[in-house]
Amino acid sequence: MTTGTPAPARILYVEDDPSIQQVGRLSLERVGGFTTRTCGSGAEAVACAPEFRPDLVLLDVMMPDMDGTETLARLRSLAGLEAVPVIFLTAKVQPRERDRLLSLGAIGVVAKPFDPMSLPSEIRAMWAARAGGA
Amino acid sequence: MTGDDPEMKELARLYLAGLPARLGAIEKGLEEWEGGHGGAGALDAAIRAAHGIAGSAGTFGMSELGSAAREFEQEALEAAQEQGPGRLARLKELFARMLQVPGTPRPS
């Protein structure tokens, strides 16, 4: 993990909706230039995160079985990932929900639907704000 | 990558091809909820499908459908909490509004 760097290089992207997952991956890799690992569930993310060693986790909130908040808790229980930065993706954009997600330690919340052209710049802005506030 | 990107175009095509099933899940959930089959779970399926459309349609240039789906989802969440008179009619109305959005396919 490379916290403190100007931008994340490796993003673990967790999204259960295949259509959105594919667009998100394209956006992150081709627009953003990130190295990306995509996972279709929280359980898959927990399984592959230790080996992938992400700089950042981009995490959908509403997923069946293991939702985003539970996935975050499990990821942070893994050795080396205790402080991994997380950005949540959510279609619930009410301020109260956003505040709740930030209170869990996320560095940002991206509203769905997202624009694939601007998603990487949103991520970089959140990363920079976090670094500036650290 | 732009909307003209061949891969993006293909993803948009696939998304559109999958929309009838998503809309069908809402329709089926409403029917089951109305008929008393499936209980609250029936409405949960409709809520999940609407939530998915609300969070994705705009990414594929169908913002109006996404907004209509969000309105349906919100009403359905309230209906799941408190099933008052007129809830079903309101949900049907909101679902019909989704289907009226130009470019929206029929449910399957």
Side-chain angles (χ1 to χ4, degrees), chain A:
Chain A
M1 192 169 62
T2 53
T3 52
T5 56
R10 300 165 66 81
I11 296 182
L12 180 67
Y13 174 38
V14 191
E15 166 65 62
D16 68 302
D17 186 320
S19 301
I20 293 302
Q21 189 193 85
Q22 288 174 311
V23 173
R25 181 185 55 78
L26 268 185
S27 168
L28 294 170
E29 293 181 350
R30 288 174 51 176
V31 180
F34 302 114
T35 297
T36 306
R37 173 76 62 87
T38 54
C39 295
S41 69
E44 190 183 342
V46 170
C48 79
E51 177 266 328
F52 182 63
R53 291 181 292 110
D55 298 321
L56 174 75
V57 180
L58 186 60
L59 184 55
D60 186 30
V61 174
M62 192 167 169
M63 296 186 290
D65 301 324
M66 190 191 296
D67 68 10
T69 57
E70 186 182 349
T71 302
L72 173 59
R74 297 223 186 164
L75 285 172
R76 290 213 162 137
S77 72
L78 298 171
L81 293 170
E82 297 89 344
V84 65
V86 169
I87 293 174
F88 278 115
L89 280 163
T90 182
K92 290 183 179 175
V93 289
Q94 295 89 340
R96 195 169 57 179
E97 172 68 358
R98 185 177 176 281
D99 290 346
R100 183 184 76 83
L101 295 171
L102 292 175
S103 75
L104 298 172
I107 65 169
V109 179
V110 171
K112 291 169 75 177
F114 58 79
D115 174 359
M117 292 308 296
S118 61
L119 177 64
S121 59
E122 277 192 79
I123 289 170
R124 288 196 170 94
M126 289 171 182
W127 183 275
R130 165 185 171 274

Side-chain angles (χ1 to χ4, degrees), chain B residues 1-44:
Chain B
M1 187 178 76
T2 68
D4 294 331
D5 181 284
E7 200 166 355
M8 187 65 193
K9 272 184 159 175
E10 176 63 6
L11 290 178
R13 189 190 68 74
L14 290 172
Y15 180 76
L16 193 60
L19 263 181
R22 292 178 187 246
L23 294 164
I26 297 176
E27 187 173 54
K28 183 168 177 250
L30 274 180
E31 285 170 0
E32 290 184 353
W33 194 58
E34 180 177 18
H37 309 297
L43 200 54
D44 286 346

Side-chain angles (χ1 to χ4, degrees), chain B residues 46-59:
Chain B
I47 291 169
R48 277 197 302 276
H51 181 83
I53 294 173
S56 60
T59 295

